[in-house]
């Protein structure tokens, strides 16, 4: 079986990768205790001993606001550790897959979604800069490596942290008011679709950059309205908030329109793997496990 060394197998995305793809791939997913990813010797040894056919890096320092005070830790996990892995995977002549983010873009391209050919320009924000540095390290090390950019992932079954969709559901079900930005373009990705897409990419041993997201787009306000409509909650509980007013309340800067163009993935791997936001939320509801 295709053996994949998975780093970050306990996270929102990583845990679902194991749940949904374990029939097709054999995942070896060491915990922090089993493998210190910040030790280059141990990383090299792990790749040499496990002999995977690829490495998938779903770990990361993912709390954008917390990252502002923890630059060293954030860069360590998002860029330094991937750097150790790409040295090892290059030696072993196997591909390295790095999960990245829409935040590598500045969000100023509002007339069309970002394609894989658009040049990143992260805002002055620690997380965004660390992820862009990670991308460069990965793509610069070998042409068989890959960067998979995702945006606002949400899961029906991962209860350890509140993604945006779960946050909306948790408030709306108690008739609490919520607010959503009305002037920001996003295309959140349902984690099950993302994992299905990753499966195709791993199977094909595809390389380069791919954008994995919903096939249409919305705004955080529109996303909240769709969640409310699909779940049968009161849409009147949702208030509009202006992007400029919202960003003032956050520690880290936020790019405005970071919707991702998914045509490259769909052209190469076909339709029916990624879905519209509405279809994603229908699927999310059908599997939803409350906390
Ligand atoms: N969530 C988002 O909104 C979002 C958006 C765009 C892109 N992404 C990217 O997608 C990827 C996956 O995100 P996610 O939301 O699934 O992440 P997550 O839920 O925060 O999980 C992070 C993973 O990294 C592991 N980890 C943390 N510190 C570590 C360390 N020092 N050594 C080794 N492993 C460590 C965690 O292990 P423990 O559970 O043991 O701590 C966990 O498995 C990340 O690269 C992220 O940048 C996420």
């Amino acid at each position: 079986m295709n053996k994949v060394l998975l780093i970050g197998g306990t996270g929102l995305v990583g845990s679902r990768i194991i749940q949904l793809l374990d029939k097709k791939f054999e995942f070896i997913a060491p915990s922090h205790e089993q493998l210190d990813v910040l030790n280059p010797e141990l990383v090299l040894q792990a790749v040499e001993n496990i002999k995977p056919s690829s490495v998938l890096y779903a770990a990361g320092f993912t709390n954008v606001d917390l990252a502002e005070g923890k630059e060293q830790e954030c860069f360590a996990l998002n860029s330094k550790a991937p750097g150790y892995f790409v040295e090892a995977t290059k030696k072993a002549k196997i591909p390295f897959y790095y999960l990245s983010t829409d935040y590598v873009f500045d969000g100023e391209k509002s007339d069309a979604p970002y394609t894989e050919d658009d040049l990143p320009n992260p805002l002055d924000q620690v997380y965004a800069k660390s992820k862009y540095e990670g991308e460069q390290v990965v793509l610069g090390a070998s042409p068989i490596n890959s960067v998979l950019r995702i945006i606002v992932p949400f899961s029906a079954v991962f209860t350890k942290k509140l993604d945006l969709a779960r946050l909306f559901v948790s408030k709306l079900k108690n008739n609490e008011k919520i607010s959503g930005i009305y002037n920001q373009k996003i295309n959140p990705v349902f984690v099950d679709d993302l994992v299905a897409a990753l499966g195709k990419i791993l199977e094909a041993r595809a390389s380069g950059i791919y954008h994995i997201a919903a096939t249409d787009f919305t705004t955080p306000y529109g996303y909240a309205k769709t969640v409310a409509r699909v779940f049968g909650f009161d849409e009147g509980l949702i208030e509009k908030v202006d992007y400029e007013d919202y960003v003032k309340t956050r520690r880290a800067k936020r790019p405005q329109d970071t919707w991702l163009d998914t045509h490259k993935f769909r052209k190469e791997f076909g339709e029916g793997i990624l879905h519209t936001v509405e279809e994603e939320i229908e699927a999310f509801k059908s599997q939803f496990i409350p906390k």
Side-chain angles (χ1 to χ4, degrees):
M1 199 147 67
N2 197 337
K3 197 196 274 185
V4 179
L5 173 57
L6 172 66
I7 309 301
T10 53
L12 171 77
V13 178
S15 59
R16 199 66 177 149
I17 290 173
I18 297 174
Q19 285 166 9
L20 296 181
L21 294 180
D22 71 334
K23 301 263 182 309
K24 277 195 179 155
F25 304 93
E26 180 194 351
F27 289 105
I28 310 292
S31 64
H32 302 215
E33 293 71 33
Q34 290 165 323
L35 174 60
D36 176 4
V37 298
L38 296 172
N39 182 326
E41 294 293 314
L42 296 178
V43 167
L44 183 63
Q45 267 175 33
V47 172
E48 285 179 349
N49 293 342
I50 294 166
K51 297 191 190 350
S53 53
S54 59
V55 175
L56 173 52
Y57 194 84
F61 192 111
T62 57
N63 187 320
V64 173
D65 290 310
L66 202 63
E68 289 304 295
K70 296 199 180 286
E71 187 160 355
Q72 222 181 326
E73 291 92 325
C74 183
F75 271 80
L77 209 53
N78 293 349
S79 165
K80 231 178 175 176
Y84 300 148
F85 276 99
V86 293
E87 284 306 312
T89 54
K90 193 174 176 181
K91 212 169 160 204
K93 296 189 174 54
I94 56 168
F96 180 83
Y97 297 92
Y98 178 73
L99 276 173
S100 192
T101 170
D102 56 307
Y103 272 33
V104 296
F105 295 114
D106 60 21
E108 284 174 20
K109 183 185 176 190
S110 57
D111 55 336
Y114 283 99
T115 73
E116 289 82 353
D117 292 330
D118 283 316
L119 203 61
N121 179 34
L123 297 182
D124 188 14
Q125 190 229 72
V126 171
Y127 171 77
K129 285 183 178 288
S130 73
K131 292 300 288 189
Y132 184 43
E133 189 177 282
E135 286 194 359
Q136 290 174 302
V137 164
V138 169
L139 293 174
S142 166
I144 63 171
N145 290 346
S146 195
V147 161
L148 314 163
R149 294 194 187 120
I150 63 171
I151 172 166
V152 193
F154 64 107
S155 166
V157 298
F158 190 76
T159 55
K160 277 203 269 176
K161 76 176 180 191
L162 273 184
D163 55 52
L164 195 54
R166 298 187 72 87
L167 174 71
F168 289 155
V169 172
S170 71
K171 301 263 186 198
L172 292 171
K173 76 171 178 356
N174 296 327
N175 284 319
E176 286 175 49
K177 282 194 173 162
I178 59 169
S179 56
I181 304 170
Y182 67 86
N183 50 354
Q184 181 180 47
K185 291 176 185 135
I186 56 168
N187 49 348
V189 65
F190 183 43
V191 169
D192 291 21
D193 288 358
L194 155 61
V195 169
L198 282 177
K200 297 285 178 195
I201 288 169
L202 286 177
E203 216 168 33
R205 297 177 83 71
S207 59
I209 304 171
Y210 286 93
H211 287 178
I212 304 172
T215 54
D216 60 352
F217 79 95
T218 185
T219 62
Y221 175 75
Y223 186 50
K225 295 278 272 188
T226 311
V227 168
R229 191 170 60 253
V230 169
F231 276 77
F233 299 136
D234 178 3
E235 288 180 51
L237 293 166
I238 305 161
E239 291 171 348
K240 284 183 180 173
V241 59
D242 186 85
Y243 162 78
E244 297 291 348
D245 292 333
Y246 173 79
V247 292
K248 278 186 219 146
T249 67
R250 310 306 302 183
R251 184 165 182 199
K253 293 183 178 172
R254 298 288 197 281
Q256 189 163 2
D257 297 319
T258 55
W259 44 330
L260 298 175
D261 190 307
T262 57
H263 282 94
K264 180 184 173 191
F265 175 83
R266 286 153 61 201
K267 190 163 171 239
E268 288 182 30
F269 295 97
E271 298 294 341
I273 300 164
L274 302 177
H275 296 92
T276 64
V277 175
E278 176 118 20
E279 288 166 346
E280 290 182 325
I281 294 173
E282 295 277 1
F284 167 76
K285 186 192 171 222
S286 72
Q287 300 174 17
F288 184 75
I289 299 176
K291 196 169 182 177

